[in-house]
């Protein structure tokens, strides 16, 4: 039996994302006043995705609690739709985008932080908030995967959805550059147009790899859990 119920963990994680988002939006940074505001940064988009996802998780838990023991078929149908939405968001958005943001940010940060997070930002964003945006996302999403089984869509449907998100964000970045003349990330200012195309392609491939990784990890965790339960049941018999 878990030390902390998964429902309580989800509420705590949701509240932490609300706190991070509120604190981030309260910062008076020049970048927030330019075209696109916070929405041009993948980190902020990811925070919104995670907050919405865990909000859906909490709503699913509440719906399941309120309809427990009910034989109303319409309520059961609505609950299944909510669970389907939760699982779809986990598969194609929360896990691949969350893991992508954490791994890409810290890889570039350790190589040359000025490529992705210039030192000037230290004057605006405290360290705890930086970790809230770029570190805690990973353990939070792993906790969710470990505590709840998620039904993944078919591989082709999942990869199409992930590619659509990745291409959509690339187009959004290009549009922001077209309007402002400035790239969202300093790294993009330093590479040629052809290198940008190759970079965007590689990132799209990488986020799809994270999608497949999430699918494999989800299956591994819950297949292993099922084996343990079957073994325990056999021993008790």
């Amino acid at each position: 039996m878990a030390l902390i119920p998964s429902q309580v963990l989800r509420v705590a994680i949701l509240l932490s994302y609300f706190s991070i988002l509120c604190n981030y939006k309260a910062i008076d940074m020049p970048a927030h006043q330019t075209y696109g505001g916070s929405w041009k940064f993948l980190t902020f988009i990811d925070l919104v995705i995670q907050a919405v996802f865990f909000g859906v998780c909490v709503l699913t838990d509440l719906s399941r609690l309120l309809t427990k023991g009910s034989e109303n078929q319409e309520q059961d149908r609505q609950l299944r739709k909510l669970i389907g939405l939760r699982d779809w968001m986990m598969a194609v958005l929360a896990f691949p985008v969350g893991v992508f943001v954490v791994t890409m940010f810290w890889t570039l940060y350790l190589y040359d932080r000025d490529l992705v997070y210039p030192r000037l930002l230290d004057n605006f964003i405290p360290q705890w908030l930086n970790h809230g945006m770029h570190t805690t996302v990973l353990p939070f999403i792993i906790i969710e995967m470990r505590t709840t089984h998620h039904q993944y869509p078919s591989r082709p449907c999942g990869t199409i959805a992930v590619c659509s998100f990745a291409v959509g964000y690339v187009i959004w970045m290009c549009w922001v550059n077209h309007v402002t003349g400035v790239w969202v990330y300093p790294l993009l200012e330093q590479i040629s147009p052809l290198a940008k195309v190759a970079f965007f392609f590689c990132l799209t491939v990488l986020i799809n790899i994270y999608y497949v990784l999430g699918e494999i990890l989800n299956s591994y965790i819950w297949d292993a859990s099922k084996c343990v339960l079957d073994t325990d049941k056999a021993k008790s018999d």
Side-chain angles (χ1 to χ4, degrees), residues 96-147:
V97 177
V99 175
F100 178 85
V101 166
V102 173
T103 55
M104 281 302 299
F105 174 82
W106 287 112
T107 298
L108 292 172
Y109 185 96
L110 293 173
Y111 175 73
D112 182 356
R113 63 170 294 178
D114 289 327
L115 294 175
V116 67
Y117 194 81
R119 287 172 173 79
L120 177 65
L121 292 178
D122 290 340
N123 298 323
F124 299 96
I125 303 176
Q127 281 296 314
W128 73 266
L129 186 55
N130 180 28
H131 284 292
M133 296 188 299
H134 297 115
T135 306
T136 58
V137 173
L138 185 56
F140 284 169
I141 206 67
I142 294 296
I143 288 171
E144 170 61 22
M145 182 171 280
R146 181 63 186 85
T147 56

Side-chain angles (χ1 to χ4, degrees), residues 106-232:
W106 287 112
T107 298
L108 292 172
Y109 185 96
L110 293 173
Y111 175 73
D112 182 356
R113 63 170 294 178
D114 289 327
L115 294 175
V116 67
Y117 194 81
R119 287 172 173 79
L120 177 65
L121 292 178
D122 290 340
N123 298 323
F124 299 96
I125 303 176
Q127 281 296 314
W128 73 266
L129 186 55
N130 180 28
H131 284 292
M133 296 188 299
H134 297 115
T135 306
T136 58
V137 173
L138 185 56
F140 284 169
I141 206 67
I142 294 296
I143 288 171
E144 170 61 22
M145 182 171 280
R146 181 63 186 85
T147 56
T148 305
H149 176 261
H150 296 275
Q151 185 67 44
Y152 267 62
S154 65
R155 183 73 61 81
C157 289
T159 52
I160 287 172
V162 172
C163 283
S164 298
F165 174 85
V167 172
Y169 182 67
V170 168
I171 293 173
W172 170 233
M173 280 196 298
C174 292
W175 177 254
V176 171
N177 173 257
H178 172 73
V179 172
T180 65
V182 178
W183 285 101
V184 174
Y185 302 104
L187 167 66
L188 297 173
E189 301 281 1
Q190 302 181 24
I191 57 179
S192 67
L194 185 60
K196 287 185 181 72
V197 173
F199 182 69
F200 292 149
F201 176 76
C202 290
L203 295 187
T204 302
V205 171
L206 181 60
I207 199 170
N208 275 275
I209 290 172
Y210 286 143
Y211 167 78
V212 175
L213 176 64
E215 182 183 23
I216 293 171
L217 187 59
N218 181 69
S219 297
Y220 173 78
I221 289 172
W222 290 99
D223 286 348
S225 298
K226 185 175 182 296
C227 289
V228 170
L229 288 174
D230 290 344
T231 301
D232 291 342

Side-chain angles (χ1 to χ4, degrees), residues 50-102:
Q50 302 300 328
V52 172
F53 168 67
F54 278 99
V56 171
C57 289
V58 170
L59 184 59
T60 303
D61 291 337
L62 286 173
S63 299
R64 181 175 279 141
L65 179 64
L66 293 173
T67 59
K68 189 176 182 180
S70 173
E71 296 182 0
N72 188 310
Q73 292 185 349
E74 178 60 24
Q75 288 182 342
D76 187 57
R77 187 171 66 86
Q78 294 300 326
L79 179 59
R80 286 200 300 271
K81 283 185 177 180
L82 203 54
I83 292 172
L85 174 61
R86 179 201 67 187
D87 291 349
W88 184 88
M89 286 195 69
M90 173 68 170
V92 305
L93 291 174
F95 186 89
V97 177
V99 175
F100 178 85
V101 166
V102 173

